[in-house]
Amino acid sequence: MSDALTTAGIAMFDDVLMAKKLPSAVLQRFSECLISGEPTPEEDQKVIADTIFEWARGLGAIDFAHWFFPLRGGGGAVGGMLGAFKKDTLIDLEFGSKFVTKPMKACLPHERLFQGETDGSSFPNGGLRVTHSAAAFTTWDRASPPFVTDKCLYIPCAFITHFGKCIDEKTPLLRSMDAVTLSGLRLLKAIGIGTDAKAMCSYLGWEQEFFVIPADLYKAHPDLVNCGRTLFGKLPTRHQQGDLNYFQPIPGKVQELLDIAQAEMLKVGCPMAVKHNEVAPGQHEMSPVFRTANVSCDSNVLFMEVMNREAQKLGLQVLFHEKPFAGINGSGKHANWSVGTDTGLNFFYPGKNEAGAKLYVTGIACLAFGLAQYNEMVRCTVASAGNDHRLGAQEAPPAIISLYPGQGFEQFMESIISGGDLLGYKAEKKKQSTGCSAAMHIEANVEDRNRTAPFPFCGNRFEFRAVGSSQNCCFPVMVCNAIMSAGMAHLAGLIEGGMSHRDAVAQVFKENKHVIFTGNGYSAEWPVEASKRGLPNLNTTPKAIATWNSEKNKKLLESLKIYTAEETEARQEVMYENYISSMSCEVETMVQMTETGILPACAKDLEKYKGFEKLAGNRKAVYEGIVEQLEKLKASFAKKPHTSLPDEATYLCDTVKPQMVALRSAVDKAESLLESGLYPYPTYEAMIYSHHF
């Protein structure tokens, strides 16, 4: 019987399949080029293209597409977070034919597999492309296997301009993976551990949260369609107070969608491992097993594409916005990240021998250095209009970036600083009794979990919990790689300068321990304590973006060959533009919904109480209050400055956004008074519950 497990991997041209179908010499050269960065020889390109073509046709592929990730940002509106591609038919002319009208042939020309061209000026680019200088090129990320889905051969690509500037999410990630290799091998040589390694890898396992609602109700909400979140809507009397949804049985219609998505992702080599109900009603989660970072980032974007595509067939809509419903939990995308060698060493696994234990302590020292020295850079990677609604709430970590290696490790770190050895950290799992005979004792983790921390230790990895649901994982993982590379290079430099391994680790911990926090990140005391430690609290996106292009950041990214100074500046401009665009769209949608839907409903409701003024209560005052707040919003938005992108973003955040909250409050109060059936948009209750039956 065929099911999702029996068809797993059939639609991905991975290493195993390459080994079966390609001549051994071609495969050997291809693998060597991946490590060296050298171009694949043209004759090998032809063999690879022909082989992939025959395989893809066997799976029913008619088209192929160079699939890449422009700097569109998140935002949560459908399409904002997805990849870009145009479909080319797997066909060409036989140019060698003697006939004037050349016959057609089904094929995949090798030059079109490895490279493509498109317009770079029509995508966000921070000024790196203009219409009169618009050429940009896609090139196959040879470390990410092609796959077939929806009758199309997808070729994961990097995207650069005519002059080699990156204007996408993937290229800097790939550059950061090279930086991890260079810094990591240098450190391993300095400490004398794992010196047989030839390359380093960064890994990612994402946990994707999202909401699912009926598609007809989604289409009836202009704010969801245009902005990805509801700008109006009061909570139903029952929402998530009793934690009734978390790990409950998945509603039947949603279960059908998740099963289909799981099967589709398994086919293209993404090992989906988990699906469950999340805390908020209507909220769910799926996540896969770890893969190398670039392949995992690809699979996450594909997952969002597949979910949107398959949901439409079932009359459902998936919401990836970080906070589609005010008052109940929003959605994140926890990025479980680690780095290791091609020989199997993991910098974030305590290890079973002395070398592994020393590497683990060393790895955390490097990460502590990176997070302490480039704290603002890490915060920038999760800065967006959507994520501002959840960071700092009781559903997501604070905007203050800190590291949680565990309370036991924090004590061990202090012993190292005081002169202790690098060995001695007790990494054994602890046995805990259940207190009953039917259930055996459990093996608790080495360290407890801290859900309030933005960077907690999770056994063999660190979990970046602040990533937004609608985001592409490339950007945050790229910066994780960058700061880790910085830490490894710094520590290696100390040892190369004559310091012992122990003393170098002790010094790094001593100088950067202020970033380590094992307490309650949700507490009111933590921001005060963080300030004393010198940790920034960049609690809005404009505050965060302003720090991105600091000289320190530009110097690091340039030294690691991840971004040129110009590319760093361009990325900041794109971040500002995305924030301004998202906020402006929300304001304009809010005004339109109020004027064309809310106010007419209020007028109709009030009309019914003519002659029954005592029954009307305070309706007139509440409804007129909407007009007052609407006019204030329109007036404040009209005064938006155009002097600079930072000024505009800051004004929208500090002045316009509070007025949006005031208008929403007035409208949501009116919803509680309107006659049932007069409210012009689907209610929260309908959207989050109606498909559960």
Side-chain angles (χ1 to χ4, degrees):
M1 186 180 80
S2 177
D3 59 24
L5 296 182
T6 61
T7 57
I10 65 168
M12 186 181 212
F13 197 78
D14 59 10
D15 293 345
V16 175
L17 195 57
M18 289 182 78
K20 288 181 180 178
K21 291 187 173 291
L22 291 179
S24 58
V26 173
L27 179 61
Q28 178 68 24
R29 287 190 292 269
F30 184 81
S31 300
E32 290 171 352
C33 289
L34 274 181
I35 296 175
S36 68
E38 291 296 313
T40 301
E42 187 173 6
E43 287 306 311
D44 289 353
Q45 290 184 31
K46 293 177 181 178
V47 173
I48 294 168
D50 289 344
T51 304
I52 291 178
F53 168 75
E54 292 296 335
W55 166 78
R57 285 293 295 138
L59 292 172
I62 298 171
D63 302 305
F64 73 97
H66 276 209
W67 186 55
F68 59 101
F69 308 146
L71 298 175
R72 288 173 170 158
V78 174
M81 74 298 291
L82 301 182
F85 62 92
K86 64 178 177 68
K87 291 185 176 182
D88 290 301
T89 308
L90 287 165
I91 202 163
D92 208 344
L93 298 180
E94 290 203 44
F95 291 100
S97 170
K98 64 181 180 180
F99 297 108
V100 174
T101 303
K102 307 297 184 187
M104 296 179 293
K105 65 173 181 179
C107 65
L108 174 60
H110 69 277
E111 61 274 12
R112 299 181 72 187
L113 166 63
F114 282 82
Q115 182 174 314
E117 182 178 358
T118 187
D119 174 15
S121 66
S122 296
F123 295 108
N125 56 67
L128 293 177
R129 287 285 81 184
V130 289
T131 307
H132 65 275
S133 179
F137 299 88
T138 50
T139 177
W140 177 21
D141 168 13
R142 295 174 296 177
S144 186
F147 55 89
V148 174
T149 185
D150 201 26
K151 297 183 180 180
C152 182
L153 170 66
Y154 278 53
I155 304 163
C157 287
F159 184 44
I160 62 172
T161 71
H162 178 76
F163 299 103
K165 303 294 184 184
C166 69
I167 51 175
D168 68 335
E169 303 277 8
K170 170 66 81 69
T171 304
L173 172 66
L174 297 178
R175 293 174 181 174
S176 77
M177 293 169 71
D178 291 342
V180 165
T181 288
L182 289 173
S183 297
L185 295 182
R186 177 186 171 190
L187 177 61
L188 292 173
K189 181 180 178 181
I191 64 178
I193 296 175
T195 54
D196 57 335
K198 295 181 180 179
M200 294 280 295
C201 300
S202 58
Y203 300 93
L204 169 67
W206 42 268
E207 302 172 49
Q208 177 72 61
E209 296 173 342
F210 50 87
F211 284 81
V212 179
I213 67 172
D216 58 336
L217 302 186
Y218 164 81
K219 294 172 185 176
H221 246 282
D223 43 6
L224 283 177
V225 173
N226 288 287
C227 312
R229 76 179 183 102
T230 53
L231 301 174
F232 300 116
K234 71 177 184 67
L235 283 172
T237 52
R238 179 168 71 89
H239 42 95
Q240 68 180 58
Q241 307 99 316
D243 297 323
L244 301 176
N245 194 61
Y246 197 39
F247 279 28
Q248 280 271 34
I250 301 171
K253 202 76 175 285
V254 178
Q255 180 73 60
E256 184 179 357
L257 170 62
L258 302 191
D259 288 347
I260 293 171
Q262 179 186 48
E264 289 299 305
M265 295 304 296
L266 285 172
K267 286 179 186 177
V268 297
C270 179
M272 301 302 294
V274 172
K275 51 180 182 264
H276 65 82
N277 273 12
E278 256 298 335
V279 172
Q283 188 185 33
H284 313 278
E285 178 179 308
M286 291 187 75
S287 56
V289 178
F290 267 58
R291 304 296 297 274
T292 52
N294 58 325
V295 176
S296 190
C297 287
D298 289 349
S299 67
N300 181 243
V301 177
L302 180 66
F303 173 78
M304 292 190 282
E305 182 179 316
V306 168
M307 286 289 282
N308 281 321
R309 183 179 73 212
E310 298 302 327
Q312 292 172 11
K313 300 175 184 177
L314 299 174
L316 299 173
Q317 181 63 52
V318 184
L319 305 178
F320 288 109
H321 193 283
E322 285 74 21
K323 193 77 167 180
F325 302 106
I328 58 178
N329 277 11
S331 299
K333 178 157 32 207
H334 304 152
N336 294 274
W337 163 80
S338 64
V339 294
T341 69
D342 59 347
T343 56
L345 294 177
N346 182 349
F347 275 65
F348 300 142
Y349 179 65
K352 296 182 178 179
N353 53 41
E354 286 192 4
K358 285 185 176 180
L359 185 62
Y360 174 69
V361 175
T362 304
I364 295 184
C366 295
L367 180 56
F369 174 91
L371 283 172
Q373 299 301 316
Y374 300 98
N375 198 276
E376 297 93 341
M377 182 191 291
V378 177
R379 171 66 180 92
C380 283
T381 69
V382 294
S384 71
N387 221 16
D388 276 1
H389 292 289
R390 58 181 282 274
L391 289 182
Q394 299 299 308
E395 65 204 62
I400 304 166
I401 302 297
S402 63
L403 178 66
Y404 174 87
Q407 294 178 345
F409 188 87
E410 185 179 27
Q411 296 172 6
F412 181 66
M413 174 195 70
E414 292 292 351
S415 74
I416 294 174
I417 293 173
S418 300
D421 195 86
L422 295 183
L423 296 174
Y425 175 62
K426 301 300 182 183
E428 300 93 357
K429 292 186 176 181
K430 303 169 183 65
K431 292 183 178 180
Q432 303 290 355
S433 172
T434 61
C436 57
S437 57
M440 293 169 53
H441 66 259
I442 61 167
E443 281 194 353
N445 293 329
V446 174
E447 295 282 1
D448 198 359
R449 292 186 65 187
N450 188 335
R451 293 174 61 86
T452 73
F455 242 101
F457 174 65
C458 293
N460 59 1
R461 63 198 185 275
F462 280 88
E463 180 186 27
F464 192 7
R465 292 180 58 84
V467 181
S469 175
S470 69
Q471 279 193 256
N472 187 312
C473 291
C474 285
F475 189 30
V477 174
M478 177 273 280
V479 169
C480 288
N481 286 344
I483 65 166
M484 186 67 182
S485 298
M488 293 189 293
H490 176 73
L491 190 55
L494 294 178
I495 297 171
E496 292 163 354
M499 194 175 287
S500 71
H501 183 187
R502 196 222 74 84
D503 289 351
V505 169
Q507 178 172 312
V508 169
F509 275 134
K510 182 178 180 180
E511 294 175 351
N512 299 282
K513 69 176 185 177
H514 60 283
V515 82
I516 292 177
F517 177 65
T518 58
N520 180 6
Y522 289 158
S523 70
E525 293 78 17
W526 171 227
V528 177
E529 170 62 22
S531 178
K532 292 178 182 177
R533 296 183 181 202
L535 294 177
N537 185 4
L538 305 173
N539 58 356
T540 69
T541 289
K543 287 181 182 178
I545 298 174
T547 69
W548 170 253
N549 68 336
S550 68
E551 288 304 314
K552 179 177 66 173
N553 288 356
K554 286 192 284 191
K555 183 178 179 181
L556 174 67
L557 294 171
E558 198 159 18
S559 69
L560 295 175
K561 298 182 179 180
I562 295 174
Y563 271 142
T564 64
E566 185 182 14
E567 288 169 332
T568 302
E569 296 280 359
R571 184 77 197 219
Q572 183 186 54
E573 183 174 324
V574 169
M575 287 192 282
Y576 273 128
E577 288 174 344
N578 181 258
Y579 182 83
I580 293 167
S581 175
S582 297
M583 291 297 297
S584 297
C585 184
E586 288 190 358
V587 172
E588 292 168 4
T589 303
M590 200 172 212
V591 170
Q592 184 181 41
M593 290 178 69
T594 305
E595 292 183 334
T596 64
I598 300 297
L599 293 180
C602 291
K604 291 177 183 177
D605 188 59
L606 205 57
E607 180 71 20
K608 295 176 181 291
Y609 288 91
K610 282 187 176 180
F612 303 95
E613 282 71 18
K614 287 186 178 181
L615 296 180
N618 67 339
R619 279 174 168 77
K620 187 173 186 295
V622 170
Y623 298 166
E624 288 178 350
I626 295 174
V627 177
E628 180 183 346
Q629 298 301 335
L630 173 65
E631 293 306 314
K632 287 182 179 180
L633 177 60
K634 290 162 69 174
S636 67
F637 188 62
K639 295 176 183 177
K640 180 179 64 172
H642 300 284
T643 50
S644 69
L645 292 177
D647 288 345
E648 189 173 353
T650 301
Y651 179 83
L652 286 169
C653 180
D654 295 347
T655 303
V656 176
K657 190 175 177 181
Q659 188 53 44
M660 293 172 67
V661 174
L663 175 57
R664 175 176 194 141
S665 178
V667 171
D668 290 353
K669 188 175 182 180
E671 183 185 347
S672 300
L673 298 175
L674 285 168
E675 179 187 354
S676 178
L678 275 183
Y679 187 72
Y681 309 111
T683 64
Y684 270 24
E685 186 174 278
M687 287 187 287
I688 62 179
Y689 285 125
S690 63
H691 62 303
H692 281 217
F693 307 107

